[in-house]
Amino acid sequence: MKTQHKKKSGFLWEEFTWPEIEAYLKTVDTVILPCGAIEQHGPHLPVDVDYYDAKYMAYKVAEACQDPKPLVLPTIPFGVSFHHDDFKGTLSVSNDALSKFVYDLGMSLAKNGVKKIIILNGHGDNAPTLSYAAQMITRDTNIFVCVDTGETSDSVLNKLIDTPNDIHAGEIETSTTLAIRPDSVQMDKAVNETMEFGSTYLDFDNDLSVNWYVHTHKISESGVMGDATKATAEKGEKMWELMIHHMVRFVESIKNTPLKDLYQKRY
């Protein structure tokens, strides 16, 4: 019986042989590194949301990019999730472990000839750690490294929802999950835990807010921070469309700009 081989995507790093990667990196110098987390997402969503979404987003973005497409690296599944530790199912690594891992990976990519690394972060609390790793890679190499934790689309998404401070397993994440894998969502268990903080400077929706951290169980009984009951697949489809569109524009601008002109165009 003849074995059927799965068709290659054309941009997933792990699918290539080493000579193929060597040849590909002569045509494009940009990679996308998705990073997620395995952590509680309320009583209605699976614990892999941040991992799955980062992987899905990276694939869809690369797929939509012009040829030659950026290479997509295998997704890092675990993140800095200590604040969810009171909820079972959460698997967390330390800031030091994640930053060192990403740093080592970045140094290895540089040795391969990669010139630009776009870290696509699917878990907000990874951001400080990933930014630190990006700084250290930049310090020790001559390549470009950046971290996107939704900055290319967050302001657009907030216009599509009704919930203030919708930051975890609420209207946004439940909608985006309903849009791409509805069988993973238990909407009968969705809850509303909309939050109001003691200071406007703690509001996540406030442009003047500060960065701050808290153990989730202190502000949410269910693990939800937002209103999951307002989620719909239609909202999620629009969110994915906008997120992918904006990220593709960003990736294309990085990919198509020579490294020497990326920071400041020279005339």
Side-chain angles (χ1 to χ4, degrees):
M1 183 175 178
K2 187 176 180 180
T3 301
Q4 290 188 345
H5 295 284
K6 183 180 178 181
K7 184 179 178 181
K8 286 185 179 181
S9 67
F11 52 79
L12 293 180
W13 183 283
E14 65 266 30
E15 292 181 342
F16 290 89
T17 65
W18 77 259
E20 289 172 335
I21 289 179
E22 184 177 49
Y24 199 97
L25 288 175
K26 292 177 180 177
T27 67
V28 65
D29 61 2
T30 305
V31 300
I32 299 174
L33 171 59
C35 186
I38 301 295
E39 61 180 30
Q40 72 83 18
H41 271 73
H44 65 298
L45 292 176
V47 296
D48 73 340
V49 168
D50 291 348
Y51 165 71
Y52 188 97
D53 287 0
K55 184 177 181 179
Y56 178 85
M57 178 80 164
Y59 188 100
K60 288 298 182 181
V61 167
E63 186 179 51
C65 282
Q66 297 295 314
D67 292 328
K69 300 179 184 298
L71 284 169
V72 176
L73 296 163
T75 305
I76 299 173
F78 304 112
V80 179
S81 302
F82 67 87
H83 46 295
H84 294 305
D85 277 349
D86 294 279
F87 299 88
K88 300 303 181 186
T90 298
L91 301 175
S92 182
V93 299
S94 70
N95 303 74
D96 290 341
L98 181 60
S99 62
K100 187 63 168 66
F101 182 88
V102 173
Y103 171 82
D104 285 347
L105 184 56
M107 298 300 291
S108 185
L109 288 165
K111 290 178 182 178
N112 272 270
V114 171
K115 301 298 182 186
K116 303 162 192 167
I117 303 173
I118 298 171
I119 302 176
L120 198 166
N121 179 29
H123 171 53
D125 284 275
N126 285 342
T129 303
L130 295 176
S131 293
Y132 172 72
Q135 283 183 311
M136 295 302 101
I137 297 168
T138 303
R139 182 193 65 184
D140 296 338
T141 68
N142 293 315
I143 71 174
F144 172 83
V145 190
C146 68
V147 181
D148 181 276
T149 309
E151 288 85 356
T152 55
S153 57
D154 276 353
S155 62
V156 179
L157 295 190
N158 286 334
K159 296 177 182 179
L160 299 179
I161 64 172
D162 302 316
T163 312
N165 292 311
D166 190 80
I167 60 172
H168 187 73
E171 187 175 356
I172 292 176
E173 287 190 307
T174 305
S175 293
T176 52
T177 305
L178 282 170
I180 58 175
R181 45 179 188 153
D183 291 343
S184 297
V185 184
Q186 302 179 53
M187 279 303 290
D188 59 316
K189 297 179 182 178
V191 297
N192 174 14
E193 285 216 44
T194 303
M195 297 176 296
E196 292 185 14
F197 300 110
S199 168
T200 57
Y201 292 102
L202 301 184
D203 281 351
F204 291 92
D205 294 339
N206 184 355
D207 291 337
L208 301 177
S209 64
V210 301
N211 290 326
W212 60 283
Y213 304 92
V214 65
H215 289 274
T216 305
H217 78 277
K218 292 183 177 181
I219 57 175
S220 172
E221 291 184 4
S222 67
V224 173
M225 289 175 275
D227 187 355
T229 66
K230 291 184 178 179
T232 67
E234 291 73 23
K235 289 178 185 177
E237 289 168 3
K238 185 63 175 177
M239 290 171 187
W240 279 117
E241 178 185 344
L242 290 168
M243 287 189 294
I244 293 167
H245 171 73
H246 285 285
M247 192 66 182
V248 167
R249 290 182 61 186
F250 171 63
V251 172
E252 286 285 289
S253 70
I254 298 299
K255 185 189 74 172
N256 294 325
T257 303
L259 187 61
K260 66 182 180 63
D261 293 334
L262 198 54
Y263 306 105
Q264 181 172 307
K265 190 168 181 64
R266 294 165 173 80
Y267 297 94

